[in-house]
Amino acid sequence: MDTPSNIKVHDKYFQPFISKEHIENIIRKMVEEISKDHALEKPLFIAVLNGAFIFASDFFKQLKFDCEISFIKTKSYDGMTSSGDVLQVIGLEENITNRTVIILEDIIDTGLTIKQLLNTLQKQKPATLKIATLLLKPEAIQHQFPIDYIGLEIPTKFVVGYGLDYDGLGRNYPEIYQLVEEV
Ligand code: 5GP
């Protein structure tokens, strides 16, 4: 089996961090847990683009029960349109009122994006609103809210690959790489 080597994305070097096999195991466990909790509820999964598209695809095709998926993008409101704790959600056509909704996110860093997304979606009164994130940087979190399903906790270092980018590039690698700090 080939061992992945360091990669260069734009001007920065990244080293192998989470292998394809490790990612597969993490996702299998998340699938098991979420299936146990929600298989009978026809949940709607909401994947946050762009970063979560590969995670969402690998996760979703392992589910063995009735469920739906929708892909959204988020955007901050410009200027005076809203207070800072809600986001514009682009692409959500489903009515989520009284439904079980599970957000699929690639990575939670400070938590601001997900906190704002939760506030926005709560306004539609889903029956259950949960978060499943592939990666979490626990030392970077600045906003408190329950994170229901966590794939893996990682240190506060920038990562790319498996859908995650550095300035648009790097999403295409099947494993996850960590920034090599310059000394
Ligand atoms: P938060 O709002 O939690 O601070 O940031 C969440 C978003 O920041 C993620 O959805 C992702 O787009 C981006 N992000 C945070 N940490 C990383 C990282 O290590 N690598 C990449 N590629 N994106 C990150």
Side-chain angles (χ1 to χ4, degrees):
M1 194 168 47
D2 290 341
T3 311
S5 45
N6 285 10
I7 57 169
K8 188 172 183 209
V9 182
H10 291 295
D11 55 335
K12 305 231 180 287
Y13 287 91
F14 293 82
Q15 62 197 7
F17 181 48
I18 311 172
S19 68
K20 269 193 288 188
E21 293 72 22
H22 194 173
I23 296 170
E24 277 166 24
N25 286 336
I26 291 167
I27 293 178
R28 199 172 308 121
K29 283 197 194 120
M30 295 178 85
V31 165
E32 275 170 24
E33 227 182 316
I34 292 172
S35 302
K36 190 157 55 69
D37 293 348
H38 296 293
L40 302 176
E41 298 164 12
K42 254 187 223 168
L44 170 67
F45 293 93
I46 296 183
V48 186
L49 294 175
N50 292 329
F53 80 108
I54 296 181
F55 163 51
S57 161
D58 283 349
F59 171 88
F60 195 67
K61 65 193 179 195
Q62 291 190 42
L63 301 175
K64 305 272 190 307
F65 53 85
D66 283 349
C67 53
E68 292 177 50
I69 190 163
S70 195
F71 292 85
I72 62 158
K73 281 202 171 197
T74 60
K75 190 167 172 277
S76 300
Y77 281 95
D78 303 323
M80 298 163 61
T81 323
S82 171
S83 66
D85 63 351
V86 293
L87 280 178
Q88 254 179 294
V89 174
I90 301 160
L92 184 64
E93 284 168 6
E94 292 77 3
N95 178 2
I96 65 169
T97 306
N98 293 328
R99 290 201 64 178
T100 295
V101 175
I102 301 172
I103 300 169
L104 298 177
E105 178 62 300
D106 49 359
I107 186 163
I108 297 179
D109 186 27
T110 65
L112 178 65
T113 312
I114 288 290
K115 178 83 191 268
Q116 291 179 325
L117 182 57
L118 286 173
N119 287 346
T120 306
L121 295 178
Q122 279 296 5
K123 291 184 193 305
Q124 288 193 44
K125 304 213 177 325
T128 303
L129 181 58
K130 286 191 168 181
I131 303 164
T133 186
L134 180 66
L135 303 174
L136 169 72
K137 294 180 181 169
E139 287 149 22
I141 277 276
Q142 291 174 20
H143 301 269
Q144 293 314 315
F145 51 88
I147 305 175
D148 307 279
Y149 305 102
I150 299 166
L152 186 69
E153 296 192 352
I154 62 167
T156 310
K157 268 196 191 178
F158 197 76
V159 293
V160 296
Y162 199 70
L164 290 155
D165 75 311
Y166 166 41
D167 218 359
L169 297 183
R171 295 191 198 276
N172 47 308
Y173 291 93
E175 49 288 292
I176 294 172
Y177 292 76
Q178 187 180 52
L179 181 67
V180 177
E181 305 281 1
E182 285 155 34
V183 280

